[in-house]
Amino acid sequence: MTTPGNVQPAPGPIRSSVPARLDRLPWTGFHWRVVIALGITWVLDGVEITIAGTIADRLRDQDSLGFSSSQVGLAASLYLLGEVFGALVFGRLTDKLGRRKLFVATLGVYLLGNTLTAFSMNFWFFAATRFIAGAGIGGEYAAINSAIDELIPARYRGRTDLAVNGTYWLGAMIGAAANLAFLNEDIFGVDLGWRIALLIGPLIGVMIWPLRRHLPESPRWLLTHGRADEAERIVGEIERDIEAKGIEVPPVGEDSAIAIRPRGTVSYRELARVVLRDYRRRSLVGLTLMVTQAFLYNAIFFTYALILADFYGIQGGAVAYFIFPFALGNLLGPILLGRYFDTIGRRVMVGGTYALSGLLLFVTGWLFNDGALTAVTQTILWCVIFFFASAAASSAYLTVSEIFPIELRAQAISFFFALAVLVGGVVAPWLFATLIGDGDDRGRVFLGYTVASILMIIGGLVEFAWGINAEGRSLEAVATPLSAQTVAACCAESGLTGGLTAHVRRGP
């Protein structure tokens, strides 16, 4: 029997070394399965955004659906609104019902929404299915980030999170390649190619579905919900599989155990107290990092084609060829720099990549304003900027997913993700498109670049000042679970840069 909040009642505190056992595991095939099965989310989003952005002309074609420009824009906004809705709703359910149930359910919602979109016959059906697909992706962000962080050993958590988040740009490359084929009128009809292109994401999702269904629930989540036997069984199976391959699994001492008293779902009042009072500086760090990177990315990426067309004369399908190097730089940044977030450390690398990308953007804007760039050199500089900015943006998701207690981890991710989408997804593209105008004033565009660069530098400075040194440390050391037996219910703010282990009552 379970109590409200999916918690099994226990006569007293549960003492377990499950978190420590997960963190001391060597990297194995199990972890690769986690990364591949769950990390596909960002590939899907990259495919989705790229294809949706490039089929706009087809949707307006009278031989297709004949949408107006405002309808195309409204559909894009509804997709983003769906992401916000999905993140907030599914984020809370992820903390209440478990990571596994939700990372299976949210993939199903995405597959349903996007598949139905391909069969749209009018605007309102198209808009509704775009909202559903967005809700699935938004829910994925909350469920997947929390699950990955709780399953990956502490010493690999930074590089893994960055690499997974960076695969968004692999999806962008897949989407761009698909558009070159499916939007070619010599191969597919005006009303057929875009529909087939929209099925690329669901096809990838269906292929990964069986692997995802066989992943276990997060043992950390099970532990805080009183299901210690299940948590022990899952970790034991992972250990035995590793040992069966001849790989030694180091023992874990009794002093690594943590005492947990299972509790119900965190109320909205308690959520607000933890986020806005107990962890107010961490919340400020998370909000700043998420919003500033979202502003930068949405400002540049959603107006990328406008800059190339209005200032460099690159039109139509030729724009797709410029997306590939841009996406490649974004993909390589988190992969090549990720290891340093675990070795050099979070604060230096997060703050450094934010500040450096901001400075590089300002220099690029200056050269653009002076007319010193061509389409090729502009793209090269964008590749360099976003090599670092992509690592910075990925580290924002890493930060908000590891600095809050496990009981509200998914909700914290969803909250900051929703704010980032609303600010970056709504304000930034509109502002930059307005500044670009008819392409007759480089100075206004430079002003926009300057604003984005200043915001990124501010993000870096906030991280330098108040960032958390989470590298190589267990999630329980970075943020004490609300269900942990504590010495005193004191302010969590004292652990901003050193973790909260001092408050956890461990066994002798």
Side-chain angles (χ1 to χ4, degrees):
M1 186 178 76
T2 60
T3 62
N6 204 29
V7 176
Q8 291 187 355
I14 298 172
R15 192 166 179 273
S16 175
S17 59
V18 159
R21 289 164 63 191
L22 286 169
D23 282 335
R24 66 71 155 95
L25 291 175
W27 188 272
T28 65
F30 167 77
H31 300 107
W32 278 117
R33 290 194 295 275
V34 169
V35 169
I36 294 171
L38 300 184
I40 201 68
T41 294
W42 286 264
V43 177
L44 294 177
D45 198 22
V47 170
E48 192 73 16
I49 292 295
T50 304
I51 290 178
T54 51
I55 65 173
D57 283 342
R58 292 300 173 85
L59 297 176
R60 294 185 299 179
D61 197 302
Q62 292 304 313
D63 291 330
S64 182
L65 295 181
F67 291 171
S68 67
S69 295
S70 61
Q71 286 177 320
V72 172
L74 177 58
S77 296
L78 286 173
Y79 176 79
L80 294 174
L81 184 61
E83 285 194 335
V84 172
F85 173 82
L88 294 176
V89 171
F90 292 125
R92 183 161 182 81
L93 290 176
T94 299
D95 282 335
K96 180 179 181 179
L97 302 178
R99 299 0 181 170
R100 186 179 183 278
K101 289 181 180 178
L102 269 296
F103 65 59
V104 171
T106 52
L107 180 59
V109 171
Y110 163 77
L111 292 175
L112 174 66
N114 216 51
T115 301
L116 290 176
T117 301
F119 296 93
S120 297
M121 300 306 294
N122 57 62
F123 170 72
W124 290 113
F125 187 88
F126 183 91
T129 54
R130 294 305 293 155
F131 180 89
I132 294 171
I137 289 293
E140 286 269 286
Y141 275 106
I144 301 306
N145 267 306
S146 51
I148 288 177
D149 280 358
E150 290 166 16
L151 290 169
I152 298 299
R155 62 188 179 281
Y156 299 115
R157 192 170 63 240
R159 70 194 75 183
T160 303
D161 237 31
L162 260 72
V164 166
N165 280 277
T167 56
Y168 172 97
W169 295 100
L170 175 59
M173 296 171 72
I174 294 173
N179 284 335
L180 288 175
F182 295 118
L183 299 187
N184 186 336
E185 293 184 32
D186 294 331
I187 304 176
F188 297 97
V190 171
D191 194 41
L192 177 61
W194 68 267
R195 297 178 187 273
I196 299 176
L198 281 175
L199 294 175
I200 297 296
L203 177 62
I204 297 173
V206 168
M207 292 171 61
I208 211 70
W209 183 283
L211 184 58
R212 183 174 286 194
R213 288 183 63 247
H214 287 92
L215 290 181
E217 178 58 86
S218 163
R220 284 179 154 103
W221 182 87
L222 289 170
L223 189 63
T224 59
H225 283 70
R227 296 157 66 177
D229 290 344
E230 291 180 63
E232 293 283 346
R233 176 181 57 78
I234 290 171
V235 177
E237 289 176 355
I238 297 172
E239 291 171 335
R240 286 191 293 275
D241 287 344
I242 294 174
E243 290 172 339
K245 295 179 174 64
I247 302 173
E248 182 180 354
V249 178
V252 171
E254 280 296 311
D255 59 345
S256 66
I258 184 173
I260 295 289
R261 183 180 292 277
R263 48 172 296 149
T265 303
V266 176
S267 67
Y268 286 110
R269 181 177 180 179
E270 187 171 14
L271 175 65
R273 175 183 62 78
V274 173
V275 172
L276 300 178
R277 190 193 73 183
D278 296 346
Y279 287 91
R280 60 185 178 275
R281 284 188 181 175
R282 294 187 180 205
S283 297
L284 176 61
V285 171
L287 178 64
T288 304
L289 295 182
M290 288 292 287
V291 169
T292 53
Q293 63 84 23
F295 185 90
L296 172 70
Y297 262 96
N298 288 286
I300 301 298
F301 190 61
F302 280 99
T303 59
Y304 189 93
L306 294 178
I307 292 289
L308 292 175
D310 293 348
F311 292 98
Y312 299 112
I314 306 298
Q315 301 286 345
V319 173
Y321 293 102
F322 287 84
I323 291 179
F324 284 104
F326 180 77
L328 183 61
N330 277 275
L331 177 63
L332 292 177
I335 293 175
L336 298 180
L337 297 177
R339 59 177 300 203
Y340 300 111
F341 286 76
D342 286 323
T343 54
I344 294 176
R346 301 284 200 269
R347 184 182 295 182
V348 172
M349 290 302 298
V350 176
T353 51
Y354 265 79
L356 182 57
S357 56
L359 289 171
L360 290 172
L361 178 61
F362 179 80
V363 172
T364 298
W366 186 283
L367 294 173
F368 170 82
N369 189 47
D370 282 350
L373 301 176
T374 65
V376 172
T377 54
Q378 175 83 63
T379 301
I380 291 172
L381 287 175
W382 271 333
C383 290
V384 174
I385 293 168
F386 286 94
F387 176 85
F388 296 101
S390 182
S394 296
S395 72
Y397 287 94
L398 167 66
T399 298
V400 299
S401 68
E402 67 181 357
I403 62 175
F404 294 99
I406 184 174
E407 293 86 351
L408 49 83
R409 175 166 293 121
Q411 293 176 84
I413 296 168
S414 66
F415 175 71
F416 292 110
F417 172 77
L419 287 176
V421 169
L422 288 173
V423 175
V426 176
V427 176
W430 168 81
L431 175 61
F432 267 70
T434 302
L435 293 174
I436 291 170
D438 296 326
D440 57 355
D441 190 346
R442 290 175 178 262
R444 290 190 306 182
V445 180
F446 175 47
L447 175 62
Y449 283 148
T450 301
V451 171
S453 66
I454 290 174
L455 289 176
M456 288 297 286
I457 292 172
I458 289 174
L461 293 177
V462 169
E463 174 66 22
F464 281 134
W466 293 321
I468 294 85
N469 296 321
E471 61 275 4
R473 303 173 61 209
S474 72
L475 294 170
E476 292 72 23
V478 176
T480 305
L482 300 179
S483 52
Q485 293 295 284
T486 59
V487 175
C490 62
C491 178
E493 201 73 319
S494 63
L496 280 177
T497 60
L500 305 174
T501 14
H503 299 301
V504 179
R505 179 180 297 155
R506 299 186 183 275

